Coordinates of all heavy atoms in Angstrom, one line a residue:
P2 N 9.1 71.4 -31.7 CA 8.1 72.5 -31.7 C 8.4 73.4 -30.6 O 8.8 73.0 -29.5 CB 6.8 71.8 -31.6 CG 7.1 70.4 -31.3 CD 8.5 70.1 -31.6
T3 N 8.2 74.7 -30.8 CA 8.4 75.7 -29.8 C 7.5 75.5 -28.6 O 6.3 75.3 -28.7 CB 8.1 77.1 -30.4 OG1 9.0 77.2 -31.5 CG2 8.5 78.2 -29.4
G4 N 8.1 75.5 -27.4 CA 7.3 75.4 -26.2 C 7.0 74.0 -25.7 O 6.4 73.8 -24.7
A5 N 7.3 73.0 -26.5 CA 7.0 71.7 -26.2 C 8.1 71.1 -25.3 O 9.2 71.6 -25.3 CB 6.9 70.8 -27.5
D6 N 7.7 70.1 -24.5 CA 8.7 69.4 -23.6 C 9.7 68.7 -24.5 O 9.4 67.9 -25.3 CB 7.9 68.4 -22.8 CG 8.8 67.5 -22.0 OD1 9.7 68.0 -21.3 OD2 8.7 66.3 -22.1
P7 N 11.0 69.0 -24.3 CA 12.0 68.5 -25.2 C 12.1 66.9 -25.1 O 12.3 66.3 -26.2 CB 13.3 69.0 -24.6 CG 13.0 70.2 -23.8 CD 11.6 70.0 -23.3
R8 N 11.8 66.3 -24.0 CA 11.8 64.9 -23.9 C 10.7 64.3 -24.7 O 10.9 63.3 -25.5 CB 11.8 64.4 -22.4 CG 12.0 63.0 -22.3 CD 12.1 62.6 -20.8 NE 12.2 61.2 -20.7 CZ 12.3 60.6 -19.5 NH1 12.2 61.3 -18.4 NH2 12.4 59.3 -19.5
S9 N 9.5 64.8 -24.6 CA 8.4 64.3 -25.4 C 8.6 64.5 -26.9 O 8.3 63.7 -27.7 CB 7.1 65.0 -24.9 OG 6.8 64.7 -23.6
S10 N 9.1 65.7 -27.2 CA 9.4 66.0 -28.6 C 10.4 65.0 -29.2 O 10.2 64.5 -30.3 CB 10.0 67.4 -28.7 OG 9.0 68.4 -28.3
A11 N 11.4 64.7 -28.4 CA 12.4 63.7 -28.9 C 11.8 62.4 -29.1 O 12.0 61.7 -30.1 CB 13.6 63.7 -28.0
A12 N 11.0 62.0 -28.2 CA 10.3 60.7 -28.3 C 9.4 60.6 -29.5 O 9.1 59.5 -30.1 CB 9.5 60.4 -27.0
L13 N 8.8 61.7 -29.9 CA 7.9 61.8 -31.0 C 8.7 62.0 -32.4 O 8.1 62.0 -33.4 CB 7.0 62.9 -30.9 CG 5.9 62.7 -29.8 CD1 5.1 64.0 -29.5 CD2 5.0 61.6 -30.1
G14 N 10.0 62.1 -32.3 CA 10.8 62.1 -33.5 C 11.3 63.5 -33.9 O 11.9 63.7 -35.0
W15 N 10.9 64.5 -33.1 CA 11.4 65.9 -33.4 C 12.8 66.0 -33.1 O 13.4 65.3 -32.2 CB 10.6 66.9 -32.6 CG 9.2 67.1 -33.0 CD1 8.1 66.4 -32.5 CD2 8.7 67.8 -34.1 NE1 7.0 66.8 -33.1 CE2 7.3 67.7 -34.1 CE3 9.3 68.7 -35.0 CZ2 6.5 68.3 -35.0 CZ3 8.4 69.3 -35.9 CH2 7.1 69.1 -35.9
P16 N 13.6 66.8 -33.8 CA 15.0 67.0 -33.6 C 15.3 67.5 -32.2 O 14.5 68.3 -31.6 CB 15.5 68.0 -34.6 CG 14.5 68.0 -35.7 CD 13.2 67.6 -35.0
V17 N 16.4 67.1 -31.6 CA 16.9 67.6 -30.3 C 17.8 68.7 -30.6 O 18.7 68.7 -31.4 CB 17.6 66.4 -29.6 CG1 18.2 66.9 -28.3 CG2 16.6 65.3 -29.3
S18 N 17.7 69.8 -29.8 CA 18.6 70.9 -29.9 C 20.0 70.5 -29.5 O 20.2 69.8 -28.5 CB 18.2 72.0 -28.9 OG 19.2 73.0 -28.8
C19 N 21.0 71.0 -30.3 CA 22.4 70.6 -30.0 C 22.8 71.2 -28.6 O 23.9 70.8 -28.1 CB 23.3 71.1 -31.1 SG 23.4 72.9 -31.3
D20 N 22.0 72.1 -28.1 CA 22.4 72.7 -26.8 C 21.7 72.0 -25.6 O 21.8 72.4 -24.5 CB 21.9 74.2 -26.7 CG 22.7 75.0 -27.8 OD1 23.9 74.8 -27.9 OD2 22.1 75.8 -28.4
E21 N 20.9 70.9 -25.9 CA 20.1 70.2 -24.8 C 21.1 69.6 -23.8 O 21.9 68.7 -24.2 CB 19.2 69.2 -25.5 CG 18.4 68.4 -24.5 CD 17.5 69.3 -23.6 OE1 16.7 70.1 -24.2 OE2 17.7 69.3 -22.4
A22 N 21.0 69.9 -22.6 CA 21.9 69.5 -21.5 C 21.3 68.4 -20.7 O 21.9 67.9 -19.8 CB 22.3 70.6 -20.6
D23 N 20.0 68.0 -20.9 CA 19.3 66.9 -20.1 C 19.6 65.6 -20.7 O 19.1 65.3 -21.8 CB 17.8 67.3 -20.1 CG 17.1 66.3 -19.2 OD1 17.7 65.3 -18.7 OD2 15.9 66.5 -19.0
P24 N 20.3 64.7 -20.1 CA 20.5 63.3 -20.6 C 19.3 62.6 -20.9 O 19.2 61.8 -21.8 CB 21.3 62.6 -19.5 CG 21.8 63.7 -18.6 CD 20.9 64.9 -18.8
A25 N 18.2 62.8 -20.1 CA 16.9 62.1 -20.3 C 16.3 62.4 -21.7 O 15.7 61.5 -22.3 CB 15.9 62.5 -19.3
V26 N 16.6 63.6 -22.2 CA 16.1 63.9 -23.6 C 16.9 63.1 -24.6 O 16.4 62.5 -25.5 CB 16.3 65.4 -23.9 CG1 15.9 65.8 -25.3 CG2 15.4 66.2 -22.9
W27 N 18.2 63.1 -24.5 CA 19.1 62.3 -25.4 C 18.8 60.8 -25.4 O 18.8 60.1 -26.4 CB 20.5 62.6 -25.1 CG 21.0 64.0 -25.5 CD1 21.2 65.0 -24.6 CD2 21.1 64.6 -26.8 NE1 21.5 66.2 -25.2 CE2 21.5 65.9 -26.6 CE3 21.0 64.1 -28.1 CZ2 21.7 66.8 -27.6 CZ3 21.3 64.9 -29.1 CH2 21.6 66.3 -28.9
A28 N 18.4 60.4 -24.2 CA 18.1 58.9 -24.0 C 16.8 58.5 -24.8 O 16.6 57.3 -25.0 CB 18.0 58.6 -22.5
E29 N 16.0 59.5 -25.2 CA 14.8 59.1 -26.0 C 15.2 58.8 -27.4 O 14.4 58.2 -28.1 CB 13.9 60.3 -26.0 CG 13.2 60.6 -24.7 CD 12.3 59.5 -24.2 OE1 11.7 58.8 -25.0 OE2 12.2 59.4 -23.0
L30 N 16.4 59.1 -27.9 CA 16.8 58.7 -29.2 C 17.2 57.3 -29.3 O 17.9 56.7 -28.5 CB 17.9 59.6 -29.7 CG 17.7 61.1 -29.7 CD1 18.9 61.9 -30.1 CD2 16.5 61.5 -30.5
R31 N 16.8 56.6 -30.4 CA 17.1 55.2 -30.6 C 18.6 55.0 -30.6 O 19.3 55.7 -31.3 CB 16.5 54.8 -32.0 CG 16.6 53.3 -32.2 CD 16.0 53.0 -33.5 NE 16.1 51.5 -33.7 CZ 15.1 50.8 -34.1 NH1 14.0 51.3 -34.4 NH2 15.3 49.5 -34.2
G32 N 19.0 54.0 -29.8 CA 20.4 53.6 -29.8 C 21.2 54.4 -28.7 O 22.4 54.2 -28.6
V33 N 20.5 55.3 -28.1 CA 21.2 56.2 -27.1 C 20.7 55.7 -25.7 O 19.6 56.0 -25.3 CB 21.0 57.7 -27.3 CG1 21.6 58.5 -26.2 CG2 21.4 58.1 -28.6
G34 N 21.6 55.0 -25.0 CA 21.3 54.6 -23.6 C 21.7 55.7 -22.6 O 22.2 56.7 -23.0
P35 N 21.6 55.3 -21.3 CA 21.9 56.3 -20.3 C 23.4 56.8 -20.3 O 23.6 58.0 -20.1 CB 21.6 55.6 -19.0 CG 20.9 54.3 -19.3 CD 21.1 54.1 -20.8
T36 N 24.3 55.9 -20.5 CA 25.7 56.3 -20.5 C 26.0 57.2 -21.7 O 26.7 58.3 -21.5 CB 26.6 55.1 -20.6 OG1 26.3 54.3 -19.4 CG2 28.1 55.5 -20.5
R37 N 25.6 56.8 -22.9 CA 25.8 57.6 -24.1 C 25.1 59.0 -24.0 O 25.6 60.0 -24.3 CB 25.4 56.9 -25.3 CG 25.9 57.5 -26.6 CD 25.5 56.7 -27.8 NE 26.5 55.6 -27.9 CZ 26.2 54.4 -28.6 NH1 25.0 54.2 -29.1 NH2 27.1 53.5 -28.7
A38 N 23.9 59.0 -23.4 CA 23.1 60.2 -23.2 C 23.8 61.1 -22.3 O 23.8 62.4 -22.6 CB 21.7 59.8 -22.7
A39 N 24.4 60.6 -21.3 CA 25.2 61.5 -20.3 C 26.4 62.1 -21.0 O 26.7 63.3 -20.8 CB 25.6 60.7 -19.1
S40 N 27.0 61.4 -21.9 CA 28.2 61.9 -22.6 C 27.8 63.0 -23.6 O 28.5 64.0 -23.7 CB 28.9 60.8 -23.4 OG 29.5 59.8 -22.5
I41 N 26.7 62.7 -24.3 CA 26.2 63.8 -25.2 C 25.7 65.0 -24.5 O 26.1 66.1 -24.9 CB 25.0 63.2 -26.1 CG1 25.5 62.0 -26.9 CG2 24.5 64.3 -27.0 CD1 24.4 61.2 -27.6
A42 N 25.0 64.9 -23.4 CA 24.6 66.0 -22.6 C 25.8 66.8 -22.1 O 25.7 68.1 -22.1 CB 23.7 65.6 -21.5
A43 N 26.8 66.1 -21.7 CA 28.0 66.8 -21.2 C 28.6 67.6 -22.3 O 29.1 68.8 -22.1 CB 29.0 65.8 -20.6
A44 N 28.7 67.0 -23.5 CA 29.3 67.7 -24.6 C 28.4 69.0 -25.0 O 29.0 70.0 -25.3 CB 29.4 66.8 -25.8
A45 N 27.1 68.8 -24.9 CA 26.2 69.9 -25.1 C 26.4 71.1 -24.1 O 26.5 72.3 -24.5 CB 24.8 69.5 -25.1
R46 N 26.6 70.7 -22.9 CA 26.8 71.7 -21.8 C 28.1 72.5 -22.1 O 28.3 73.7 -21.7 CB 26.9 71.1 -20.4 CG 25.5 70.8 -19.8 CD 25.6 70.5 -18.4 NE 26.4 69.2 -18.1 CZ 25.9 68.0 -18.2 NH1 24.6 67.8 -18.6 NH2 26.6 66.9 -18.0
R47 N 29.1 71.8 -22.6 CA 30.4 72.4 -22.9 C 30.4 73.2 -24.2 O 31.4 73.8 -24.6 CB 31.5 71.4 -22.9 CG 31.8 70.8 -21.6 CD 33.1 70.0 -21.6 NE 33.1 68.9 -22.5 CZ 32.7 67.6 -22.2 NH1 32.2 67.3 -21.1 NH2 32.7 66.7 -23.2
G48 N 29.3 73.1 -25.0 CA 29.2 73.9 -26.2 C 29.9 73.2 -27.4 O 30.2 73.8 -28.4
M49 N 30.2 71.9 -27.2 CA 30.9 71.1 -28.3 C 30.1 70.8 -29.5 O 30.7 70.6 -30.6 CB 31.5 69.8 -27.7 CG 32.6 69.9 -26.7 SD 33.0 68.3 -26.0 CE 33.2 67.3 -27.5
L50 N 28.8 70.7 -29.4 CA 28.0 70.2 -30.5 C 27.5 71.4 -31.4 O 26.4 71.8 -31.4 CB 26.8 69.4 -29.9 CG 27.1 68.3 -29.0 CD1 25.8 67.6 -28.6 CD2 28.0 67.3 -29.8
R51 N 28.4 71.8 -32.2 CA 28.1 72.9 -33.1 C 28.0 72.5 -34.6 O 27.4 73.2 -35.4 CB 29.1 74.0 -33.0 CG 29.2 74.7 -31.7 CD 27.9 75.5 -31.5 NE 27.8 76.0 -30.2 CZ 26.7 75.8 -29.4 NH1 25.6 75.3 -29.9 NH2 26.7 76.3 -28.2
E52 N 28.4 71.2 -34.9 CA 28.3 70.7 -36.2 C 28.3 69.2 -36.1 O 28.8 68.6 -35.0 CB 29.5 71.2 -37.1 CG 30.9 70.8 -36.5 CD 32.0 71.3 -37.4 OE1 31.7 72.2 -38.2 OE2 33.1 70.9 -37.3
P53 N 27.9 68.5 -37.1 CA 27.8 67.0 -37.0 C 29.1 66.3 -36.7 O 29.1 65.3 -35.9 CB 27.2 66.6 -38.4 CG 26.4 67.8 -38.8 CD 27.2 69.0 -38.3
Q54 N 30.2 66.8 -37.2 CA 31.4 66.1 -37.0 C 31.9 66.1 -35.5 O 32.6 65.3 -35.1 CB 32.6 66.8 -37.8 CG 32.4 66.6 -39.3 CD 31.4 67.6 -39.9 OE1 30.8 68.5 -39.3 NE2 31.2 67.5 -41.2
A55 N 31.3 67.0 -34.7 CA 31.6 67.1 -33.3 C 31.2 65.9 -32.5 O 31.7 65.6 -31.5 CB 31.0 68.4 -32.7
L56 N 30.2 65.2 -33.1 CA 29.7 64.0 -32.4 C 30.8 62.9 -32.3 O 30.8 62.2 -31.3 CB 28.5 63.4 -33.2 CG 27.2 64.1 -33.1 CD1 26.2 63.5 -34.1 CD2 26.6 63.9 -31.7
L57 N 31.7 62.9 -33.2 CA 32.8 62.0 -33.2 C 33.8 62.2 -32.0 O 34.6 61.4 -31.7 CB 33.6 62.0 -34.5 CG 32.8 61.6 -35.7 CD1 33.5 61.8 -37.0 CD2 32.3 60.1 -35.6
Q58 N 33.7 63.4 -31.4 CA 34.5 63.7 -30.2 C 33.9 63.3 -28.9 O 34.5 63.4 -27.8 CB 34.8 65.2 -30.1 CG 35.5 65.7 -31.4 CD 36.8 65.0 -31.7 OE1 37.6 64.8 -30.8 NE2 36.9 64.6 -32.9
V59 N 32.6 62.8 -29.0 CA 31.9 62.4 -27.8 C 32.1 60.9 -27.5 O 32.1 60.1 -28.4 CB 30.4 62.6 -28.0 CG1 29.6 62.1 -26.8 CG2 30.1 64.0 -28.3
D60 N 32.5 60.6 -26.2 CA 32.7 59.2 -25.8 C 31.5 58.3 -26.2 O 30.4 58.7 -25.9 CB 33.0 59.1 -24.3 CG 34.3 59.7 -23.9 OD1 35.2 59.8 -24.7 OD2 34.4 60.0 -22.7
G61 N 31.8 57.2 -26.8 CA 30.8 56.2 -27.1 C 30.1 56.4 -28.4 O 29.2 55.7 -28.8
I62 N 30.6 57.4 -29.2 CA 30.0 57.7 -30.5 C 31.0 57.5 -31.6 O 32.0 58.2 -31.6 CB 29.3 59.1 -30.6 CG1 28.2 59.2 -29.6 CG2 28.8 59.4 -32.0 CD1 27.4 60.4 -29.6
G63 N 30.7 56.6 -32.5 CA 31.6 56.4 -33.7 C 30.9 56.9 -34.9 O 29.8 57.5 -34.9
V64 N 31.5 56.5 -36.0 CA 30.9 57.0 -37.3 C 29.5 56.6 -37.6 O 28.6 57.4 -38.0 CB 31.9 56.6 -38.5 CG1 31.3 56.9 -39.8 CG2 33.3 57.2 -38.3
T65 N 29.2 55.3 -37.3 CA 27.9 54.8 -37.5 C 26.8 55.5 -36.7 O 25.8 55.9 -37.2 CB 27.8 53.3 -37.3 OG1 28.8 52.6 -38.2 CG2 26.4 52.7 -37.5
M66 N 27.1 55.6 -35.4 CA 26.1 56.3 -34.5 C 26.0 57.8 -34.8 O 24.9 58.3 -34.8 CB 26.5 56.1 -33.0 CG 25.6 56.7 -32.0 SD 23.8 56.3 -32.2 CE 23.9 54.6 -31.7
A67 N 27.1 58.4 -35.1 CA 27.0 59.8 -35.5 C 26.2 60.0 -36.7 O 25.4 60.9 -36.8 CB 28.4 60.4 -35.8
G68 N 26.3 59.1 -37.7 CA 25.4 59.1 -38.9 C 23.9 59.0 -38.6 O 23.1 59.6 -39.2
K69 N 23.6 58.1 -37.6 CA 22.2 57.9 -37.2 C 21.7 59.1 -36.4 O 20.5 59.5 -36.5 CB 22.1 56.7 -36.3 CG 22.3 55.4 -37.1 CD 22.3 54.2 -36.2 CE 22.5 52.9 -37.0 NZ 22.6 51.7 -36.2
L70 N 22.5 59.7 -35.6 CA 22.1 60.9 -34.7 C 22.0 62.2 -35.5 O 21.2 63.0 -35.1 CB 23.0 61.0 -33.5 CG 23.0 59.9 -32.5 CD1 24.0 60.2 -31.4 CD2 21.6 59.8 -31.9
T71 N 22.9 62.4 -36.4 CA 23.0 63.7 -37.1 C 21.6 64.2 -37.6 O 21.3 65.4 -37.3 CB 24.0 63.6 -38.3 OG1 25.3 63.4 -37.7 CG2 24.0 64.9 -39.1
P72 N 20.8 63.5 -38.3 CA 19.5 64.0 -38.7 C 18.5 64.2 -37.6 O 17.5 64.9 -37.7 CB 18.9 63.0 -39.7 CG 19.7 61.7 -39.4 CD 21.0 62.1 -38.8
R73 N 18.8 63.7 -36.4 CA 17.9 63.8 -35.2 C 18.3 65.0 -34.3 O 17.7 65.3 -33.3 CB 17.9 62.6 -34.3 CG 17.4 61.3 -35.0 CD 15.9 61.3 -35.3 NE 15.1 61.9 -34.3 CZ 14.6 61.1 -33.3 NH1 14.9 59.9 -33.2 NH2 13.9 61.7 -32.3
I74 N 19.3 65.8 -34.8 CA 19.8 66.9 -34.0 C 19.6 68.2 -34.7 O 19.8 68.3 -35.9 CB 21.3 66.8 -33.6 CG1 21.5 65.5 -32.8 CG2 21.8 68.0 -32.9 CD1 22.9 65.2 -32.6
Q75 N 19.1 69.2 -34.0 CA 18.9 70.6 -34.6 C 20.2 71.3 -34.3 O 20.5 71.7 -33.2 CB 17.7 71.3 -34.0 CG 17.5 72.6 -34.6 CD 16.3 73.3 -34.0 OE1 15.5 72.7 -33.2 NE2 16.1 74.5 -34.3
W76 N 21.0 71.5 -35.4 CA 22.3 72.2 -35.2 C 22.1 73.7 -35.2 O 21.4 74.2 -36.0 CB 23.2 71.7 -36.4 CG 23.3 70.2 -36.4 CD1 22.7 69.4 -37.2 CD2 24.2 69.5 -35.6 NE1 23.0 68.1 -36.9 CE2 24.0 68.1 -35.9 CE3 25.1 69.7 -34.6 CZ2 24.6 67.1 -35.3 CZ3 25.8 68.7 -33.9 CH2 25.5 67.4 -34.3
S77 N 22.8 74.3 -34.3 CA 22.6 75.8 -34.1 C 23.2 76.5 -35.3 O 22.7 77.6 -35.6 CB 23.2 76.3 -32.8 OG 24.7 76.0 -32.9
S78 N 24.1 76.0 -36.0 CA 24.7 76.7 -37.1 C 24.0 76.5 -38.4 O 24.4 76.9 -39.4 CB 26.2 76.2 -37.3 OG 26.2 74.8 -37.6
G79 N 22.9 75.7 -38.4 CA 22.2 75.4 -39.6 C 22.9 74.4 -40.5 O 22.7 74.3 -41.7
S80 N 23.7 73.5 -39.9 CA 24.6 72.6 -40.6 C 24.0 71.2 -40.6 O 24.8 70.2 -40.6 CB 26.0 72.6 -40.1 OG 26.0 72.2 -38.7
E81 N 22.7 71.1 -40.7 CA 22.0 69.8 -40.6 C 22.6 68.8 -41.7 O 22.6 67.6 -41.6 CB 20.5 69.9 -40.8 CG 19.9 70.5 -39.6 CD 19.7 72.0 -39.9 OE1 20.4 72.6 -40.8 OE2 19.0 72.7 -39.1
T82 N 23.0 69.3 -42.8 CA 23.3 68.4 -44.0 C 24.8 68.2 -44.2 O 25.2 67.6 -45.1 CB 22.7 69.0 -45.3 OG1 23.2 70.3 -45.5 CG2 21.2 69.0 -45.2
K83 N 25.6 68.7 -43.3 CA 27.1 68.6 -43.5 C 27.5 67.1 -43.4 O 26.9 66.3 -42.7 CB 27.8 69.3 -42.4 CG 28.0 70.8 -42.8 CD 29.0 71.4 -41.8 CE 29.3 72.8 -42.2 NZ 30.2 73.4 -41.3

């Protein structure tokens, strides 16, 4: 939701922006601990997360985890269903 705290929104099940650079927000997603959250946030800061397949380039994320995270991410390109 617009204007809501991203961490609280993620904890409530709202999608996380693919541009979110705060690891604490990513850590709210099920299966994402601090190390994986830091890797995802770093990828977001570098602008890597433009489509679901980009998750596979993030350290600690394989096909299964990418599949779980994809619907929880708001993709900037509108590619939620790729």
Side-chain angles (χ1 to χ4, degrees):
T3 305
D6 170 53
R8 188 172 178 184
S9 297
S10 296
L13 292 171
W15 290 96
V17 175
S18 168
C19 67
D20 297 320
E21 180 57 59
D23 184 354
V26 174
W27 292 105
E29 291 294 331
L30 301 181
R31 185 180 183 134
V33 178
T36 302
R37 191 176 280 155
S40 295
I41 298 169
R46 278 191 298 277
R47 291 192 301 271
M49 288 177 50
L50 302 180
R51 295 292 169 229
E52 61 183 16
Q54 293 83 359
L56 285 170
L57 296 173
Q58 303 303 313
V59 177
D60 287 339
I62 297 185
V64 174
T65 301
M66 180 54 66
K69 291 177 181 178
L70 291 176
T71 294
R73 297 292 317 274
I74 299 173
Q75 182 177 351
W76 302 98
S77 64
S78 63
S80 57
E81 294 90 349
T82 58
K83 273 192 179 180

